[in-house]
Amino acid sequence: MPYLSRQDIEIIAQRVVSAYKRLPSHNGREVNMVQPNLLVCSLLGLSVDHHTLSRSGAILGLTSCGPVSVPIFDDPTVPKYYDLDGRTLLIDSGLLAEGSNKGRYNFTLVHEACHQIYRMLFPRAYMVSIVRRKVHYCTTHASFGAGDWEEWRTNTLASAILMPADMVLSNMDAFGLGNSLKMRNKVFAPTEYRKFEQMADYMGVSKQALAVRLKRLSLLNFDYLEDPYALVDIYPD
């Protein structure tokens, strides 16, 4: 697998999104958000299935680049095996439960699809994965950090595909956020925060994922999601 810079990954994402916009179902319409299932099934030609992927709930999604069997736990007392064919994305059924985070489901689905996109682009590099019958996982511990190179590049591509720069800018304007967001703070900037929430919901992503993307695009200066009162914290000398 060749080294891919962040800019290289952005270019791949732009190619994928451009192809997505050309799908027949979008003919003559402006496209301002990416529908993951349409991307996965209609554009990439992949299949999606849902099962309980672990007893602990730690595994959110998985896929493979070749035939391999993986355990599923729909009945936690009697695990069974699912035969992956190299073109199927398995997503944990818990992500479809009532009240679950839609953004997490969408990101997990696109994350697994991005492993397949890399396989399509770099088939020779992924032959090792096929021979070793490797399974690509998305877990509750996955992050946007660079600690794991393969997961970093996959998360980075998923983020850029779900939140393309042009769509982000268009939606910021549509939701009244202008061309940048000074800070995300639900206590001291409640109006902007509500607009930000509405935009995240419209794009089908979590607030955290959108904030990370905005900061990457230099469209968000300060993020106070975890502690909105940090803005007025006073620390003794």
Side-chain angles (χ1 to χ4, degrees), residues 58-226:
I59 299 176
L60 303 178
L62 56 84
T63 191
S64 69
C65 297
V68 63
S69 295
V70 295
I72 57 174
F73 301 88
D74 296 336
D75 180 347
T77 62
V78 185
K80 297 182 179 179
Y81 279 85
Y82 187 101
D83 293 328
L84 287 171
D85 57 4
R87 302 284 300 175
T88 297
L89 315 181
L90 273 185
I91 307 299
D92 189 78
S93 53
L95 294 178
L96 291 175
E98 185 176 353
S100 60
N101 188 317
K102 178 177 69 172
R104 173 170 275 196
Y105 175 86
N106 288 343
F107 193 88
T108 300
L109 183 58
V110 176
H111 172 101
E112 297 304 333
C114 285
H115 282 297
Q116 295 288 346
I117 290 172
Y118 283 134
R119 177 190 62 80
M120 296 173 194
L121 293 175
F122 308 105
R124 300 184 80 178
Y126 268 79
M127 279 303 297
V128 175
S129 174
I130 295 171
V131 170
R132 294 179 180 175
R133 303 169 70 86
K134 182 178 179 181
V135 178
H136 301 280
Y137 292 94
C138 182
T139 72
T140 54
H141 303 297
S143 70
F144 291 93
D148 182 294
W149 162 239
E150 183 167 359
E151 292 310 306
W152 175 84
R153 72 185 178 208
T154 306
N155 277 342
T156 301
L157 182 59
S159 177
I161 288 175
L162 270 174
M163 295 167 280
D166 62 331
M167 293 188 191
V168 168
L169 288 168
S170 176
N171 286 319
M172 287 186 72
D173 181 63
F175 283 91
L177 291 170
N179 55 14
S180 67
L181 186 58
K182 184 176 180 180
M183 68 176 178
R184 182 181 67 154
N185 190 307
K186 63 182 178 182
V187 173
F188 298 102
T191 300
E192 290 77 8
Y193 187 83
R194 282 194 296 272
K195 294 176 180 178
F196 172 87
E197 280 189 310
Q198 292 167 356
M199 177 177 164
D201 185 64
Y202 173 75
M203 297 191 75
V205 298
S206 69
K207 295 189 290 293
Q208 183 61 37
L210 180 56
V212 170
R213 184 63 173 156
L214 290 181
K215 285 189 283 187
R216 175 52 53 191
L217 296 172
S218 300
L219 299 174
L220 172 62
N221 294 330
F222 301 102
D223 184 12
Y224 297 99
L225 177 65
E226 294 184 2

Side-chain angles (χ1 to χ4, degrees), residues 4-92:
L4 295 175
S5 68
R6 192 180 291 275
Q7 184 58 34
D8 293 330
I9 295 172
E10 290 284 346
I11 291 171
I12 292 172
Q14 290 169 13
R15 290 168 56 192
V16 172
V17 173
S18 293
Y20 172 80
K21 290 179 178 179
R22 293 195 298 271
L23 286 172
S25 58
H26 294 145
N27 189 31
R29 297 193 299 120
E30 185 176 3
V31 181
N32 284 319
M33 51 92 71
V34 172
Q35 300 177 60
N37 278 286
L38 187 64
L39 172 88
V40 168
C41 300
S42 297
L43 180 63
L44 300 178
L46 302 172
S47 300
V48 182
D49 206 350
H50 303 88
H51 290 279
T52 302
L53 304 184
S54 63
R55 289 191 177 97
S56 66
I59 299 176
L60 303 178
L62 56 84
T63 191
S64 69
C65 297
V68 63
S69 295
V70 295
I72 57 174
F73 301 88
D74 296 336
D75 180 347
T77 62
V78 185
K80 297 182 179 179
Y81 279 85
Y82 187 101
D83 293 328
L84 287 171
D85 57 4
R87 302 284 300 175
T88 297
L89 315 181
L90 273 185
I91 307 299
D92 189 78

